[in-house]
Amino acid sequence: MNPHVPESDGSYLYYDSDYPWPEDIAADPALQASAARQGILHDVSHYVGLALELAEMLDRAPRIMEFACGTGRLSIPLARAGFPVIGVDASPTMLAGFERRLTVERAEVAGRVATHQGDVLDLDLAEKDNDLLVMGFNLLMLIADFDSQLAVLERARDHLAPDGVLALDVMNPLVMPLAATQVPETAYTRTNRRTGNLYTKFAMVGMLDDRQVQRNHGWYDEVMPGGAVRRTHYHFDWRPLFRYELELMLRLAGFGIVRVDGDFQGSPFEAGSTKMVVVARRVPGGG
């Protein structure tokens, strides 16, 4: 998330409800349709599948690091699948949610997970031999500055083994609304996982500016017991990345492209694809 976004922002407070876990999606057909529109329906199985492929290639459990791990929606399933994971996030709110999640996991799962609070832009951990580094949830877009986007790719490279794999996903800007919206749009109505109350998210976007940056903003209206409505605003910026711009940035950062898919199920990337799902490998000696 952007460094200027406060911990009280709705993006943090409603994070777990905005990005439901696979077991929640499977139990609710309405969430399945909504998650498909968000582009997160099959992301967890994709990243777990990559880890399983690496395990077969390496003949051991790969060492995994996740940048901007949030409350563990990707890291914890990877740990459930048997892999050691280090989750990195700058937000104490997100990491507190991660720790709450770990308390209900089996001891052997929680024991595979370590967390670190820090900014991925200047990250310098001792663990620099990871086999897989995950950057999910449009993370690279949310670092809304060209030089910073390149820097985070370099930090990812520095924390990978010489032939380690970087896996990331971002939205395809060719299908995104790049002009400003004139009126708020209703994104969805869901149940707040923390309170059990219904809430509705209202969303707007600004015009893509000369830096290729776009403002996202809006609010959450949560219906409280007794009928009162609590409104919580949110705002953040992102910088959409076009395919060949992203591929060039990866090469500059010392990666070779393995594949670029149009979804989490391996479909070829096309102009109308909702996502760019990228797998790249660190080039030995690169960087």
Side-chain angles (χ1 to χ4, degrees), residues 181-187 201-205 217-219:
T181 53
Q182 301 304 311
V183 296
E185 297 179 356
T186 302
K201 181 179 181 179
F202 297 90
M204 300 182 70
V205 296
H217 59 106
W219 63 87

Side-chain angles (χ1 to χ4, degrees), residues 73-102:
R73 184 176 174 275
L74 297 180
S75 286
I76 290 176
L78 286 164
R80 289 174 183 165
F83 306 116
V85 184
I86 300 172
V88 180
D89 205 290
S91 166
T93 299
M94 292 291 96
L95 291 179
F98 196 129
E99 294 300 328
R100 285 194 299 271
R101 290 277 193 173
L102 284 178

Side-chain angles (χ1 to χ4, degrees), residues 221-256:
D221 279 350
E222 180 171 348
V223 181
M224 308 303 288
V229 175
R230 182 180 68 189
R231 177 163 292 182
T232 306
H233 289 269
Y234 76 90
H235 71 282
F236 60 87
D237 298 330
W238 62 23
R239 183 179 180 278
L241 290 153
F242 292 85
R243 174 181 178 172
Y244 293 107
E245 175 187 18
L246 175 55
E247 289 196 18
L248 179 58
M249 292 172 76
L250 285 163
R251 292 189 176 103
L252 288 172
F255 290 97

Side-chain angles (χ1 to χ4, degrees), residues 48-238:
V48 171
L50 279 177
L52 291 169
E53 289 177 18
L54 276 174
E56 187 172 348
M57 291 173 56
L58 297 169
D59 198 29
R60 61 170 173 79
R63 297 175 292 270
I64 302 173
M65 180 175 287
E66 184 188 0
F67 279 8
C69 60
T71 60
R73 184 176 174 275
L74 297 180
S75 286
I76 290 176
L78 286 164
R80 289 174 183 165
F83 306 116
V85 184
I86 300 172
V88 180
D89 205 290
S91 166
T93 299
M94 292 291 96
L95 291 179
F98 196 129
E99 294 300 328
R100 285 194 299 271
R101 290 277 193 173
L102 284 178
T103 62
V104 299
E105 294 292 327
R106 300 190 312 275
E108 60 267 30
V109 172
R112 297 186 189 109
V113 179
T115 59
H116 175 83
Q117 183 181 342
D119 188 339
V120 294
L121 287 173
D122 55 17
L123 195 68
D124 187 17
L125 297 183
E127 297 84 358
K128 291 187 168 63
D129 59 349
N130 295 285
D131 303 296
L132 174 63
L133 197 144
V134 174
M135 292 169 49
F137 293 122
N138 303 309
L139 168 62
L140 196 58
M141 289 173 56
L142 290 163
I143 299 168
D145 170 76
F146 174 83
D147 290 332
S148 297
Q149 287 174 330
L150 187 57
V152 79
L153 291 174
E154 293 169 346
R155 297 294 78 71
R157 176 202 66 209
D158 294 344
H159 287 80
L160 279 168
D163 59 349
V165 171
L166 170 65
L168 63 88
D169 65 85
V170 293
M171 295 173 65
N172 174 16
L174 297 177
V175 299
M176 291 173 58
L178 301 182
T181 53
Q182 301 304 311
V183 296
E185 297 179 356
T186 302
Y188 41 73
T189 297
R190 290 183 180 169
T191 300
N192 186 330
R193 290 183 53 85
R194 295 292 302 278
T195 66
N197 302 327
L198 285 178
Y199 75 92
T200 300
K201 181 179 181 179
F202 297 90
M204 300 182 70
V205 296
M207 180 70 71
L208 197 71
D209 68 18
D210 61 323
R211 300 168 299 143
Q212 206 168 301
V213 173
Q214 188 176 43
R215 170 60 58 96
N216 290 257
H217 59 106
W219 63 87
Y220 298 83
D221 279 350
E222 180 171 348
V223 181
M224 308 303 288
V229 175
R230 182 180 68 189
R231 177 163 292 182
T232 306
H233 289 269
Y234 76 90
H235 71 282
F236 60 87
D237 298 330
W238 62 23

